[in-house]
Amino acid sequence: MKVSVRVPATTANIGPGFDCLGLALPIYNEITVEETVMPGSGIEINVIEDTQTYDLLSVPKDKNNIVYKAIELLYNFVGQSVSDIKITIKTNIPVTRGLGSSASVIVGGLLAANKLLGNPADDAVLLSIASEVEGHPDNVAPAMFGGFCLSSMEDDGSVIYSKISWPEDWKLTVIIPDYELDTQIARSILPENVPREDAIYNVRKCAMLIDAVYTHNSELMKKSLEDKIHQPYRAGLIKGFNELKELTKNKDDILGCVVSGAGPAILVISENNGFDKIKNEVLQIFDDLNVICDIRTLDVENTGSVIL
Ligand code: HSE
């Protein structure tokens, strides 16, 4: 028996919501898990590129694979051990770009394995295992449930989340550059401690951001996308980010510009056809930096993961 799951890409943080806010995007990976027919044949992990040319050779094909690790935790949860299993990952989400490709494969592997086991784990357990493997829940929650999600990993490892309706006319443009940035590196440069005024600044902005989404208040959203606890430290690793922030400031129909997850992709949030009006200037910024970009303007993905 085999089970395939389709899981969306995600963009995490949305500025001030470091490690707790995320949005799903309509770009998908497909993860298939099957019990292998031949007992004793072990683990087989295959990665199939769909449309991209990124280097996927570095993806571990053994027990160090994150999908396998997540599945192993699920089996342990039900008191079983994984024996012979085949995992196939069909990727369409660009990897190491800040678009939740790791969260998508973890979630897909878990949902598929859970179905194979007869659905012993509920959403809360799956969310918690996926967040444990990923390290934080902000990509995992929207990858599972779609839409705009708030999530919190509690002290006991459980994860709570809430999904808030994202205004339909707020478009998401992702600018995906042709270079990779490892999330571990983008996290390692962050300071262990932040000044109290910066922490308060982010709490303030994050609270306003959630209200702006909830009340569909564009003017409030424009004031809410600032952050002082991760983007200023990461800006040096993300080509064009400072220039893009400068360009998008006070532009009609542009609500703001943030790093997508840990980068290097950048997210611009706009209303109406706001992004189209600045697209040529954006292209010029990256052209001047010799960075080739794939630019996609998308609607929020509201469905989340689907068992096929
Ligand atoms: N919240 C995470 C970060 C997202 O910014 O490091 C990347 O996985």
Side-chain angles (χ1 to χ4, degrees):
M1 184 184 173
K2 68 176 175 183
V3 179
S4 297
V5 184
R6 192 188 77 161
V7 188
T10 45
T11 175
N13 301 328
I14 326 294
F18 182 64
D19 276 2
C20 64
L21 298 184
L23 271 165
L25 301 169
I27 307 170
Y28 301 93
N29 279 348
E30 192 180 304
I31 299 91
T32 303
V33 179
E34 58 192 294
E35 292 155 340
T36 46
V37 191
M38 303 268 288
S41 54
I43 313 166
E44 183 184 330
I45 298 172
N46 299 305
V47 184
I48 302 165
E49 277 182 275
D50 222 17
T51 56
Q52 53 189 258
T53 53
Y54 303 118
D55 174 23
L56 296 167
L57 294 175
S58 54
V59 177
K61 308 283 189 326
D62 55 16
K63 290 187 177 181
N64 292 316
N65 182 282
I66 49 173
V67 183
Y68 180 83
K69 282 186 183 171
I71 292 174
E72 193 174 36
L73 285 174
L74 177 66
Y75 272 68
N76 293 345
F77 169 79
V78 296
Q80 293 187 33
S81 51
V82 196
S83 51
D84 307 311
I85 201 155
K86 179 172 169 185
I87 301 165
T88 306
I89 303 166
K90 202 167 158 200
T91 69
N92 204 23
I93 303 172
V95 295
T96 49
R97 297 302 197 283
L99 293 170
S101 66
S102 62
S104 87
V105 295
I106 291 168
V107 165
L110 271 178
L111 294 180
N114 194 42
K115 177 95 195 275
L116 279 177
L117 287 166
N119 293 318
D122 60 16
D123 283 351
V125 170
L126 296 169
L127 188 54
S128 153
I129 294 176
S131 302
E132 182 184 337
V133 178
E134 173 78 352
H136 33 83
D138 50 345
N139 291 101
V140 167
M144 273 180 80
F145 307 112
F148 175 59
C149 290
L150 291 51
S151 53
S152 165
M153 192 184 273
E154 303 292 285
D155 293 341
D156 63 0
S158 64
V159 175
I160 47 176
Y161 86 98
S162 180
K163 180 171 166 178
I164 298 181
S165 169
W166 181 261
E168 256 177 42
D169 60 333
W170 289 5
K171 304 289 177 198
L172 307 165
T173 300
V174 276
I175 300 161
I176 312 167
D178 62 348
Y179 65 94
E180 301 184 8
L181 174 57
D182 193 306
T183 298
Q184 297 310 325
I185 294 171
R187 287 183 86 80
S188 69
I189 59 154
L190 302 179
E192 278 298 316
N193 299 296
V194 294
R196 184 199 308 194
E197 59 271 25
D198 290 355
I200 294 169
Y201 181 92
N202 267 57
V203 171
R204 225 164 59 208
K205 295 291 174 186
C206 200
M208 290 199 308
L209 189 155
I210 292 161
D211 188 57
V213 175
Y214 197 68
T215 58
H216 193 171
N217 183 336
S218 303
E219 288 312 309
L220 186 60
M221 191 65 169
K222 284 181 187 169
K223 296 186 169 75
S224 305
L225 287 162
E226 295 301 325
D227 143 75
K228 286 196 176 175
I229 67 173
H230 70 108
Q231 294 182 156
Y233 303 100
R234 288 171 162 171
L237 299 174
I238 298 167
K239 296 176 194 172
F241 179 60
N242 286 336
E243 292 87 339
L244 205 56
K245 268 197 85 67
E246 202 46 46
L247 171 72
T248 51
K249 226 186 253 176
N250 307 319
K251 280 271 196 290
D252 280 351
D253 296 330
I254 299 288
L255 304 186
C257 155
V258 294
V259 175
S260 178
I266 298 172
L267 171 71
V268 178
I269 305 175
S270 61
E271 20 181 24
N272 307 315
N273 60 346
F275 187 81
D276 291 344
K277 295 184 204 159
I278 61 163
K279 189 167 181 181
N280 286 340
E281 290 166 276
V282 173
L283 287 171
Q284 191 61 52
I285 287 174
F286 288 97
D287 203 35
D288 291 346
L289 292 165
N290 285 320
V291 175
I292 297 167
C293 287
D294 174 9
I295 298 182
R296 306 187 202 181
T297 297
L298 306 164
D299 287 318
V300 68
E301 201 280 357
N302 264 316
T303 309
S305 294
V306 173
I307 297 193
L308 301 171

